[in-house]
Amino acid sequence: MTSGAVTRLGEISARIDAACREHGRDPETVTLVAVSKTFSADDIRPVLAAGQRVFGENRVQEAQGKWPLLRADFRGIELHLIGPLQSNKAAQAVALFDVIETVDREKIARAIAAEMKAQARQLRLYVQVNIGEEPQKAGINPEDTGTFLAFCRDELGLAIEGLMCIPPANESPETYFEHLATLAKDHGLRRLSMGMSGDFEAAIASGATSVRVGSAIFGSR
Ligand SMILES: *Cc1c(COP(=O)(O)O)cnc(C)c1O
């Protein structure tokens, strides 16, 4: 029997392709990050078997509990950290993940830089922007993007490849997606991680190069 997640993975991929066509974009330029947080290794296996290779997790500890096992069984997995990172988990995160999307303050940028050096590992990095300037949300303020990117580059030698955001809930996301796209362009960054289950098509319209889709694939959490 085919897992429901595999059926839904196919449907989401088709919707990504359709959104790309509608907005004159090559589907090859949009990566689907399947967000598997809270789901078990056994829930994830069928999705891997169906060919999906890029996954997102929001907690280091939880990811550590399932991905080393899955990596032993499937080649070519690319794992993204999409949740907040504490400095005391930086070593573990750098060892486990391929991409960290939540670089959001000097202290964590320093810790990541030090660990990448110590472990001789090059991760791909995104800066998280608090695009709605919400007090409770992680991310640097939009107006500090340039200063923070310069700090990462000049002080730490980090190559940041893009920007990531989570727009405010219960508001239409379009203006936030457009704002993040403008910030990335202004700072010469080509990658944009934005869009989740409820709004990935709008994100693609605004230039997302990766979308992070969880519940629409794996089911509700
Ligand atoms: C959980 C999560 C997602 C996926 O959300 P869905 O609505 O389930 O698609 C995307 N991005 C981040 C940062 C998340 O924590």
Side-chain angles (χ1 to χ4, degrees), residues 1-13 39 42-47 50 214-220:
M1 204 180 91
T2 309
S3 119
V6 170
T7 306
R8 290 188 294 268
L9 175 73
E11 290 164 0
I12 296 299
S13 300
F39 289 91
D42 284 343
D43 294 326
I44 300 168
R45 265 174 213 284
V47 174
S215 51
I217 295 171
F218 288 100
S220 57

mmCIF file with all atom_site columns, all heavy atoms in Angstrom, residues 1-13 39 42-47 50 214-220:
data_model
loop_
_atom_site.group_PDB
_atom_site.id
_atom_site.type_symbol
_atom_site.label_atom_id
_atom_site.label_alt_id
_atom_site.label_comp_id
_atom_site.label_asym_id
_atom_site.label_entity_id
_atom_site.label_seq_id
_atom_site.pdbx_PDB_ins_code
_atom_site.Cartn_x
_atom_site.Cartn_y
_atom_site.Cartn_z
_atom_site.occupancy
_atom_site.B_iso_or_equiv
_atom_site.pdbx_formal_charge
_atom_site.auth_seq_id
_atom_site.auth_comp_id
_atom_site.auth_asym_id
_atom_site.auth_atom_id
_atom_site.pdbx_PDB_model_num
ATOM 1   N N   . MET A 1 1   ? 0.836  -1.195 0.000  1.00 0.00 ? 1   MET A N   1
ATOM 2   C CA  . MET A 1 1   ? 0.000  0.000  0.000  1.00 0.00 ? 1   MET A CA  1
ATOM 3   C C   . MET A 1 1   ? 0.875  1.250  0.000  1.00 0.00 ? 1   MET A C   1
ATOM 4   O O   . MET A 1 1   ? 1.857  1.320  0.723  1.00 0.00 ? 1   MET A O   1
ATOM 5   C CB  . MET A 1 1   ? -0.877 -0.012 1.260  1.00 0.00 ? 1   MET A CB  1
ATOM 6   C CG  . MET A 1 1   ? -2.134 0.804  1.093  1.00 0.00 ? 1   MET A CG  1
ATOM 7   S SD  . MET A 1 1   ? -3.133 0.764  2.617  1.00 0.00 ? 1   MET A SD  1
ATOM 8   C CE  . MET A 1 1   ? -2.519 2.190  3.492  1.00 0.00 ? 1   MET A CE  1
ATOM 9   N N   . THR A 1 2   ? 0.502  2.218  -0.801 1.00 0.00 ? 2   THR A N   1
ATOM 10  C CA  . THR A 1 2   ? 1.256  3.468  -0.862 1.00 0.00 ? 2   THR A CA  1
ATOM 11  C C   . THR A 1 2   ? 0.907  4.338  0.348  1.00 0.00 ? 2   THR A C   1
ATOM 12  O O   . THR A 1 2   ? -0.254 4.449  0.716  1.00 0.00 ? 2   THR A O   1
ATOM 13  C CB  . THR A 1 2   ? 0.910  4.252  -2.146 1.00 0.00 ? 2   THR A CB  1
ATOM 14  O OG1 . THR A 1 2   ? 1.052  3.372  -3.242 1.00 0.00 ? 2   THR A OG1 1
ATOM 15  C CG2 . THR A 1 2   ? 1.825  5.419  -2.329 1.00 0.00 ? 2   THR A CG2 1
ATOM 16  N N   . SER A 1 3   ? 1.942  4.927  0.945  1.00 0.00 ? 3   SER A N   1
ATOM 17  C CA  . SER A 1 3   ? 1.678  5.791  2.094  1.00 0.00 ? 3   SER A CA  1
ATOM 18  C C   . SER A 1 3   ? 1.000  7.078  1.628  1.00 0.00 ? 3   SER A C   1
ATOM 19  O O   . SER A 1 3   ? 1.249  7.583  0.532  1.00 0.00 ? 3   SER A O   1
ATOM 20  C CB  . SER A 1 3   ? 2.997  6.078  2.813  1.00 0.00 ? 3   SER A CB  1
ATOM 21  O OG  . SER A 1 3   ? 3.292  7.440  2.819  1.00 0.00 ? 3   SER A OG  1
ATOM 22  N N   . GLY A 1 4   ? 0.110  7.603  2.466  1.00 0.00 ? 4   GLY A N   1
ATOM 23  C CA  . GLY A 1 4   ? -0.568 8.858  2.151  1.00 0.00 ? 4   GLY A CA  1
ATOM 24  C C   . GLY A 1 4   ? 0.426  9.970  1.910  1.00 0.00 ? 4   GLY A C   1
ATOM 25  O O   . GLY A 1 4   ? 0.229  10.826 1.045  1.00 0.00 ? 4   GLY A O   1
ATOM 26  N N   . ALA A 1 5   ? 1.525  9.950  2.660  1.00 0.00 ? 5   ALA A N   1
ATOM 27  C CA  . ALA A 1 5   ? 2.539  10.996 2.507  1.00 0.00 ? 5   ALA A CA  1
ATOM 28  C C   . ALA A 1 5   ? 3.135  10.972 1.100  1.00 0.00 ? 5   ALA A C   1
ATOM 29  O O   . ALA A 1 5   ? 3.434  12.026 0.534  1.00 0.00 ? 5   ALA A O   1
ATOM 30  C CB  . ALA A 1 5   ? 3.627  10.833 3.566  1.00 0.00 ? 5   ALA A CB  1
ATOM 31  N N   . VAL A 1 6   ? 3.300  9.779  0.534  1.00 0.00 ? 6   VAL A N   1
ATOM 32  C CA  . VAL A 1 6   ? 3.887  9.685  -0.812 1.00 0.00 ? 6   VAL A CA  1
ATOM 33  C C   . VAL A 1 6   ? 2.929  10.269 -1.854 1.00 0.00 ? 6   VAL A C   1
ATOM 34  O O   . VAL A 1 6   ? 3.351  11.001 -2.760 1.00 0.00 ? 6   VAL A O   1
ATOM 35  C CB  . VAL A 1 6   ? 4.267  8.228  -1.136 1.00 0.00 ? 6   VAL A CB  1
ATOM 36  C CG1 . VAL A 1 6   ? 4.646  8.077  -2.598 1.00 0.00 ? 6   VAL A CG1 1
ATOM 37  C CG2 . VAL A 1 6   ? 5.407  7.767  -0.235 1.00 0.00 ? 6   VAL A CG2 1
ATOM 38  N N   . THR A 1 7   ? 1.644  9.964  -1.697 1.00 0.00 ? 7   THR A N   1
ATOM 39  C CA  . THR A 1 7   ? 0.635  10.549 -2.602 1.00 0.00 ? 7   THR A CA  1
ATOM 40  C C   . THR A 1 7   ? 0.669  12.068 -2.502 1.00 0.00 ? 7   THR A C   1
ATOM 41  O O   . THR A 1 7   ? 0.694  12.779 -3.511 1.00 0.00 ? 7   THR A O   1
ATOM 42  C CB  . THR A 1 7   ? -0.768 10.045 -2.213 1.00 0.00 ? 7   THR A CB  1
ATOM 43  O OG1 . THR A 1 7   ? -0.736 8.616  -2.193 1.00 0.00 ? 7   THR A OG1 1
ATOM 44  C CG2 . THR A 1 7   ? -1.816 10.525 -3.201 1.00 0.00 ? 7   THR A CG2 1
ATOM 45  N N   . ARG A 1 8   ? 0.700  12.564 -1.255 1.00 0.00 ? 8   ARG A N   1
ATOM 46  C CA  . ARG A 1 8   ? 0.666  14.020 -1.069 1.00 0.00 ? 8   ARG A CA  1
ATOM 47  C C   . ARG A 1 8   ? 1.966  14.667 -1.557 1.00 0.00 ? 8   ARG A C   1
ATOM 48  O O   . ARG A 1 8   ? 1.949  15.780 -2.085 1.00 0.00 ? 8   ARG A O   1
ATOM 49  C CB  . ARG A 1 8   ? 0.387  14.353 0.401  1.00 0.00 ? 8   ARG A CB  1
ATOM 50  C CG  . ARG A 1 8   ? -1.066 13.990 0.814  1.00 0.00 ? 8   ARG A CG  1
ATOM 51  C CD  . ARG A 1 8   ? -1.403 14.497 2.203  1.00 0.00 ? 8   ARG A CD  1
ATOM 52  N NE  . ARG A 1 8   ? -0.623 13.826 3.230  1.00 0.00 ? 8   ARG A NE  1
ATOM 53  C CZ  . ARG A 1 8   ? -1.018 12.720 3.889  1.00 0.00 ? 8   ARG A CZ  1
ATOM 54  N NH1 . ARG A 1 8   ? -2.197 12.167 3.620  1.00 0.00 ? 8   ARG A NH1 1
ATOM 55  N NH2 . ARG A 1 8   ? -0.249 12.172 4.799  1.00 0.00 ? 8   ARG A NH2 1
ATOM 56  N N   . LEU A 1 9   ? 3.087  13.971 -1.409 1.00 0.00 ? 9   LEU A N   1
ATOM 57  C CA  . LEU A 1 9   ? 4.361  14.485 -1.939 1.00 0.00 ? 9   LEU A CA  1
ATOM 58  C C   . LEU A 1 9   ? 4.238  14.734 -3.445 1.00 0.00 ? 9   LEU A C   1
ATOM 59  O O   . LEU A 1 9   ? 4.664  15.785 -3.953 1.00 0.00 ? 9   LEU A O   1
ATOM 60  C CB  . LEU A 1 9   ? 5.483  13.476 -1.663 1.00 0.00 ? 9   LEU A CB  1
ATOM 61  C CG  . LEU A 1 9   ? 6.854  13.802 -2.254 1.00 0.00 ? 9   LEU A CG  1
ATOM 62  C CD1 . LEU A 1 9   ? 7.515  14.950 -1.500 1.00 0.00 ? 9   LEU A CD1 1
ATOM 63  C CD2 . LEU A 1 9   ? 7.765  12.563 -2.218 1.00 0.00 ? 9   LEU A CD2 1
ATOM 64  N N   . GLY A 1 10  ? 3.650  13.783 -4.143 1.00 0.00 ? 10  GLY A N   1
ATOM 65  C CA  . GLY A 1 10  ? 3.448  13.929 -5.586 1.00 0.00 ? 10  GLY A CA  1
ATOM 66  C C   . GLY A 1 10  ? 2.552  15.113 -5.910 1.00 0.00 ? 10  GLY A C   1
ATOM 67  O O   . GLY A 1 10  ? 2.819  15.876 -6.849 1.00 0.00 ? 10  GLY A O   1
ATOM 68  N N   . GLU A 1 11  ? 1.506  15.283 -5.110 1.00 0.00 ? 11  GLU A N   1
ATOM 69  C CA  . GLU A 1 11  ? 0.577  16.398 -5.347 1.00 0.00 ? 11  GLU A CA  1
ATOM 70  C C   . GLU A 1 11  ? 1.259  17.748 -5.112 1.00 0.00 ? 11  GLU A C   1
ATOM 71  O O   . GLU A 1 11  ? 1.069  18.690 -5.876 1.00 0.00 ? 11  GLU A O   1
ATOM 72  C CB  . GLU A 1 11  ? -0.648 16.265 -4.433 1.00 0.00 ? 11  GLU A CB  1
ATOM 73  C CG  . GLU A 1 11  ? -1.543 15.090 -4.840 1.00 0.00 ? 11  GLU A CG  1
ATOM 74  C CD  . GLU A 1 11  ? -2.545 14.669 -3.741 1.00 0.00 ? 11  GLU A CD  1
ATOM 75  O OE1 . GLU A 1 11  ? -2.555 15.286 -2.647 1.00 0.00 ? 11  GLU A OE1 1
ATOM 76  O OE2 . GLU A 1 11  ? -3.297 13.712 -4.002 1.00 0.00 ? 11  GLU A OE2 1
ATOM 77  N N   . ILE A 1 12  ? 2.060  17.819 -4.055 1.00 0.00 ? 12  ILE A N   1
ATOM 78  C CA  . ILE A 1 12  ? 2.764  19.083 -3.762 1.00 0.00 ? 12  ILE A CA  1
ATOM 79  C C   . ILE A 1 12  ? 3.774  19.389 -4.863 1.00 0.00 ? 12  ILE A C   1
ATOM 80  O O   . ILE A 1 12  ? 3.880  20.530 -5.327 1.00 0.00 ? 12  ILE A O   1
ATOM 81  C CB  . ILE A 1 12  ? 3.457  19.020 -2.376 1.00 0.00 ? 12  ILE A CB  1
ATOM 82  C CG1 . ILE A 1 12  ? 2.418  18.886 -1.258 1.00 0.00 ? 12  ILE A CG1 1
ATOM 83  C CG2 . ILE A 1 12  ? 4.344  20.243 -2.147 1.00 0.00 ? 12  ILE A CG2 1
ATOM 84  C CD1 . ILE A 1 12  ? 1.436  20.020 -1.135 1.00 0.00 ? 12  ILE A CD1 1
ATOM 85  N N   . SER A 1 13  ? 4.496  18.381 -5.311 1.00 0.00 ? 13  SER A N   1
ATOM 86  C CA  . SER A 1 13  ? 5.466  18.593 -6.402 1.00 0.00 ? 13  SER A CA  1
ATOM 87  C C   . SER A 1 13  ? 4.752  19.110 -7.647 1.00 0.00 ? 13  SER A C   1
ATOM 88  O O   . SER A 1 13  ? 5.257  20.027 -8.321 1.00 0.00 ? 13  SER A O   1
ATOM 89  C CB  . SER A 1 13  ? 6.194  17.299 -6.750 1.00 0.00 ? 13  SER A CB  1
ATOM 90  O OG  . SER A 1 13  ? 6.892  16.834 -5.631 1.00 0.00 ? 13  SER A OG  1
ATOM 91  N N   . PHE A 1 39  ? 7.574  13.752 13.022 1.00 0.00 ? 39  PHE A N   1
ATOM 92  C CA  . PHE A 1 39  ? 7.288  12.450 12.413 1.00 0.00 ? 39  PHE A CA  1
ATOM 93  C C   . PHE A 1 39  ? 8.459  11.498 12.612 1.00 0.00 ? 39  PHE A C   1
ATOM 94  O O   . PHE A 1 39  ? 9.617  11.910 12.669 1.00 0.00 ? 39  PHE A O   1
ATOM 95  C CB  . PHE A 1 39  ? 6.925  12.631 10.935 1.00 0.00 ? 39  PHE A CB  1
ATOM 96  C CG  . PHE A 1 39  ? 5.572  13.272 10.785 1.00 0.00 ? 39  PHE A CG  1
ATOM 97  C CD1 . PHE A 1 39  ? 5.453  14.648 10.692 1.00 0.00 ? 39  PHE A CD1 1
ATOM 98  C CD2 . PHE A 1 39  ? 4.414  12.507 10.828 1.00 0.00 ? 39  PHE A CD2 1
ATOM 99  C CE1 . PHE A 1 39  ? 4.203  15.260 10.626 1.00 0.00 ? 39  PHE A CE1 1
ATOM 100 C CE2 . PHE A 1 39  ? 3.155  13.102 10.756 1.00 0.00 ? 39  PHE A CE2 1
ATOM 101 C CZ  . PHE A 1 39  ? 3.050  14.482 10.656 1.00 0.00 ? 39  PHE A CZ  1
ATOM 102 N N   . ASP A 1 42  ? 10.099 5.936  10.666 1.00 0.00 ? 42  ASP A N   1
ATOM 103 C CA  . ASP A 1 42  ? 9.243  5.044  9.872  1.00 0.00 ? 42  ASP A CA  1
ATOM 104 C C   . ASP A 1 42  ? 8.233  5.816  9.015  1.00 0.00 ? 42  ASP A C   1
ATOM 105 O O   . ASP A 1 42  ? 7.843  5.343  7.951  1.00 0.00 ? 42  ASP A O   1
ATOM 106 C CB  . ASP A 1 42  ? 8.519  4.041  10.773 1.00 0.00 ? 42  ASP A CB  1
ATOM 107 C CG  . ASP A 1 42  ? 9.459  2.925  11.229 1.00 0.00 ? 42  ASP A CG  1
ATOM 108 O OD1 . ASP A 1 42  ? 10.534 2.766  10.597 1.00 0.00 ? 42  ASP A OD1 1
ATOM 109 O OD2 . ASP A 1 42  ? 9.134  2.238  12.214 1.00 0.00 ? 42  ASP A OD2 1
ATOM 110 N N   . ASP A 1 43  ? 7.816  6.984  9.500  1.00 0.00 ? 43  ASP A N   1
ATOM 111 C CA  . ASP A 1 43  ? 6.942  7.829  8.679  1.00 0.00 ? 43  ASP A CA  1
ATOM 112 C C   . ASP A 1 43  ? 7.711  8.422  7.499  1.00 0.00 ? 43  ASP A C   1
ATOM 113 O O   . ASP A 1 43  ? 7.133  8.690  6.438  1.00 0.00 ? 43  ASP A O   1
ATOM 114 C CB  . ASP A 1 43  ? 6.380  9.003  9.510  1.00 0.00 ? 43  ASP A CB  1
ATOM 115 C CG  . ASP A 1 43  ? 5.442  8.555  10.628 1.00 0.00 ? 43  ASP A CG  1
ATOM 116 O OD1 . ASP A 1 43  ? 4.721  7.555  10.424 1.00 0.00 ? 43  ASP A OD1 1
ATOM 117 O OD2 . ASP A 1 43  ? 5.437  9.200  11.688 1.00 0.00 ? 43  ASP A OD2 1
ATOM 118 N N   . ILE A 1 44  ? 9.011  8.670  7.707  1.00 0.00 ? 44  ILE A N   1
ATOM 119 C CA  . ILE A 1 44  ? 9.819  9.355  6.699  1.00 0.00 ? 44  ILE A CA  1
ATOM 120 C C   . ILE A 1 44  ? 10.300 8.386  5.610  1.00 0.00 ? 44  ILE A C   1
ATOM 121 O O   . ILE A 1 44  ? 10.443 8.763  4.448  1.00 0.00 ? 44  ILE A O   1
ATOM 122 C CB  . ILE A 1 44  ? 11.019 10.058 7.387  1.00 0.00 ? 44  ILE A CB  1
ATOM 123 C CG1 . ILE A 1 44  ? 10.511 11.092 8.401  1.00 0.00 ? 44  ILE A CG1 1
ATOM 124 C CG2 . ILE A 1 44  ? 11.933 10.704 6.365  1.00 0.00 ? 44  ILE A CG2 1
ATOM 125 C CD1 . ILE A 1 44  ? 11.594 11.631 9.341  1.00 0.00 ? 44  ILE A CD1 1
ATOM 126 N N   . ARG A 1 45  ? 10.542 7.136  5.988  1.00 0.00 ? 45  ARG A N   1
ATOM 127 C CA  . ARG A 1 45  ? 11.090 6.145  5.054  1.00 0.00 ? 45  ARG A CA  1
ATOM 128 C C   . ARG A 1 45  ? 10.382 6.067  3.698  1.00 0.00 ? 45  ARG A C   1
ATOM 129 O O   . ARG A 1 45  ? 11.042 6.088  2.654  1.00 0.00 ? 45  ARG A O   1
ATOM 130 C CB  . ARG A 1 45  ? 11.075 4.747  5.688  1.00 0.00 ? 45  ARG A CB  1
ATOM 131 C CG  . ARG A 1 45  ? 12.365 4.381  6.335  1.00 0.00 ? 45  ARG A CG  1
ATOM 132 C CD  . ARG A 1 45  ? 12.266 3.043  7.074  1.00 0.00 ? 45  ARG A CD  1
ATOM 133 N NE  . ARG A 1 45  ? 13.134 3.100  8.224  1.00 0.00 ? 45  ARG A NE  1
ATOM 134 C CZ  . ARG A 1 45  ? 14.458 2.996  8.136  1.00 0.00 ? 45  ARG A CZ  1
ATOM 135 N NH1 . ARG A 1 45  ? 15.035 2.770  6.975  1.00 0.00 ? 45  ARG A NH1 1
ATOM 136 N NH2 . ARG A 1 45  ? 15.195 3.114  9.215  1.00 0.00 ? 45  ARG A NH2 1
ATOM 137 N N   . PRO A 1 46  ? 9.027  5.980  3.677  1.00 0.00 ? 46  PRO A N   1
ATOM 138 C CA  . PRO A 1 46  ? 8.366  5.881  2.366  1.00 0.00 ? 46  PRO A CA  1
ATOM 139 C C   . PRO A 1 46  ? 8.624  7.104  1.482  1.00 0.00 ? 46  PRO A C   1
ATOM 140 O O   . PRO A 1 46  ? 8.715  6.974  0.255  1.00 0.00 ? 46  PRO A O   1
ATOM 141 C CB  . PRO A 1 46  ? 6.873  5.786  2.719  1.00 0.00 ? 46  PRO A CB  1
ATOM 142 C CG  . PRO A 1 46  ? 6.799  5.452  4.163  1.00 0.00 ? 46  PRO A CG  1
ATOM 143 C CD  . PRO A 1 46  ? 8.076  5.884  4.805  1.00 0.00 ? 46  PRO A CD  1
ATOM 144 N N   . VAL A 1 47  ? 8.757  8.266  2.117  1.00 0.00 ? 47  VAL A N   1
ATOM 145 C CA  . VAL A 1 47  ? 8.989  9.497  1.358  1.00 0.00 ? 47  VAL A CA  1
ATOM 146 C C   . VAL A 1 47  ? 10.406 9.473  0.764  1.00 0.00 ? 47  VAL A C   1
ATOM 147 O O   . VAL A 1 47  ? 10.633 9.894  -0.378 1.00 0.00 ? 47  VAL A O   1
ATOM 148 C CB  . VAL A 1 47  ? 8.740  10.722 2.269  1.00 0.00 ? 47  VAL A CB  1
ATOM 149 C CG1 . VAL A 1 47  ? 9.095  12.022 1.580  1.00 0.00 ? 47  VAL A CG1 1
ATOM 150 C CG2 . VAL A 1 47  ? 7.270  10.736 2.721  1.00 0.00 ? 47  VAL A CG2 1
ATOM 151 N N   . ALA A 1 50  ? 10.391 7.132  -2.106 1.00 0.00 ? 50  ALA A N   1
ATOM 152 C CA  . ALA A 1 50  ? 9.764  7.734  -3.289 1.00 0.00 ? 50  ALA A CA  1
ATOM 153 C C   . ALA A 1 50  ? 10.709 8.702  -4.002 1.00 0.00 ? 50  ALA A C   1
ATOM 154 O O   . ALA A 1 50  ? 10.366 9.241  -5.047 1.00 0.00 ? 50  ALA A O   1
ATOM 155 C CB  . ALA A 1 50  ? 8.479  8.452  -2.887 1.00 0.00 ? 50  ALA A CB  1
ATOM 156 N N   . GLY A 1 214 ? 5.504  20.964 5.370  1.00 0.00 ? 214 GLY A N   1
ATOM 157 C CA  . GLY A 1 214 ? 5.412  19.878 6.340  1.00 0.00 ? 214 GLY A CA  1
ATOM 158 C C   . GLY A 1 214 ? 4.070  19.184 6.314  1.00 0.00 ? 214 GLY A C   1
ATOM 159 O O   . GLY A 1 214 ? 3.888  18.117 5.725  1.00 0.00 ? 214 GLY A O   1
ATOM 160 N N   . SER A 1 215 ? 3.071  19.806 6.960  1.00 0.00 ? 215 SER A N   1
ATOM 161 C CA  . SER A 1 215 ? 1.779  19.134 7.164  1.00 0.00 ? 215 SER A CA  1
ATOM 162 C C   . SER A 1 215 ? 1.095  18.747 5.861  1.00 0.00 ? 215 SER A C   1
ATOM 163 O O   . SER A 1 215 ? 0.395  17.729 5.816  1.00 0.00 ? 215 SER A O   1
ATOM 164 C CB  . SER A 1 215 ? 0.870  20.011 8.028  1.00 0.00 ? 215 SER A CB  1
ATOM 165 O OG  . SER A 1 215 ? 0.814  21.310 7.522  1.00 0.00 ? 215 SER A OG  1
ATOM 166 N N   . ALA A 1 216 ? 1.278  19.499 4.795  1.00 0.00 ? 216 ALA A N   1
ATOM 167 C CA  . ALA A 1 216 ? 0.627  19.145 3.527  1.00 0.00 ? 216 ALA A CA  1
ATOM 168 C C   . ALA A 1 216 ? 1.196  17.855 2.947  1.00 0.00 ? 216 ALA A C   1
ATOM 169 O O   . ALA A 1 216 ? 0.593  17.251 2.055  1.00 0.00 ? 216 ALA A O   1
ATOM 170 C CB  . ALA A 1 216 ? 0.752  20.290 2.515  1.00 0.00 ? 216 ALA A CB  1
ATOM 171 N N   . ILE A 1 217 ? 2.354  17.419 3.435  1.00 0.00 ? 217 ILE A N   1
ATOM 172 C CA  . ILE A 1 217 ? 2.927  16.141 2.996  1.00 0.00 ? 217 ILE A CA  1
ATOM 173 C C   . ILE A 1 217 ? 2.701  15.066 4.063  1.00 0.00 ? 217 ILE A C   1
ATOM 174 O O   . ILE A 1 217 ? 2.145  14.009 3.797  1.00 0.00 ? 217 ILE A O   1
ATOM 175 C CB  . ILE A 1 217 ? 4.438  16.272 2.710  1.00 0.00 ? 217 ILE A CB  1
ATOM 176 C CG1 . ILE A 1 217 ? 4.669  17.215 1.528  1.00 0.00 ? 217 ILE A CG1 1
ATOM 177 C CG2 . ILE A 1 217 ? 5.063  14.891 2.419  1.00 0.00 ? 217 ILE A CG2 1
ATOM 178 C CD1 . ILE A 1 217 ? 6.134  17.594 1.301  1.00 0.00 ? 217 ILE A CD1 1
ATOM 179 N N   . PHE A 1 218 ? 3.155  15.343 5.280  1.00 0.00 ? 218 PHE A N   1
ATOM 180 C CA  . PHE A 1 218 ? 3.167  14.299 6.310  1.00 0.00 ? 218 PHE A CA  1
ATOM 181 C C   . PHE A 1 218 ? 1.845  14.175 7.080  1.00 0.00 ? 218 PHE A C   1
ATOM 182 O O   . PHE A 1 218 ? 1.627  13.217 7.793  1.00 0.00 ? 218 PHE A O   1
ATOM 183 C CB  . PHE A 1 218 ? 4.315  14.531 7.291  1.00 0.00 ? 218 PHE A CB  1
ATOM 184 C CG  . PHE A 1 218 ? 5.656  14.244 6.693  1.00 0.00 ? 218 PHE A CG  1
ATOM 185 C CD1 . PHE A 1 218 ? 6.477  15.267 6.217  1.00 0.00 ? 218 PHE A CD1 1
ATOM 186 C CD2 . PHE A 1 218 ? 6.123  12.934 6.575  1.00 0.00 ? 218 PHE A CD2 1
ATOM 187 C CE1 . PHE A 1 218 ? 7.715  15.001 5.654  1.00 0.00 ? 218 PHE A CE1 1
ATOM 188 C CE2 . PHE A 1 218 ? 7.358  12.656 6.012  1.00 0.00 ? 218 PHE A CE2 1
ATOM 189 C CZ  . PHE A 1 218 ? 8.156  13.696 5.544  1.00 0.00 ? 218 PHE A CZ  1
ATOM 190 N N   . GLY A 1 219 ? 0.999  15.199 6.973  1.00 0.00 ? 219 GLY A N   1
ATOM 191 C CA  . GLY A 1 219 ? -0.251 15.198 7.729  1.00 0.00 ? 219 GLY A CA  1
ATOM 192 C C   . GLY A 1 219 ? -0.142 16.161 8.906  1.00 0.00 ? 219 GLY A C   1
ATOM 193 O O   . GLY A 1 219 ? 0.924  16.716 9.169  1.00 0.00 ? 219 GLY A O   1
ATOM 194 N N   . SER A 1 220 ? -1.256 16.335 9.631  1.00 0.00 ? 220 SER A N   1
ATOM 195 C CA  . SER A 1 220 ? -1.227 17.321 10.710 1.00 0.00 ? 220 SER A CA  1
ATOM 196 C C   . SER A 1 220 ? -0.436 16.789 11.887 1.00 0.00 ? 220 SER A C   1
ATOM 197 O O   . SER A 1 220 ? -0.346 15.589 12.108 1.00 0.00 ? 220 SER A O   1
ATOM 198 C CB  . SER A 1 220 ? -2.646 17.705 11.109 1.00 0.00 ? 220 SER A CB  1
ATOM 199 O OG  . SER A 1 220 ? -3.347 16.554 11.470 1.00 0.00 ? 220 SER A OG  1
#
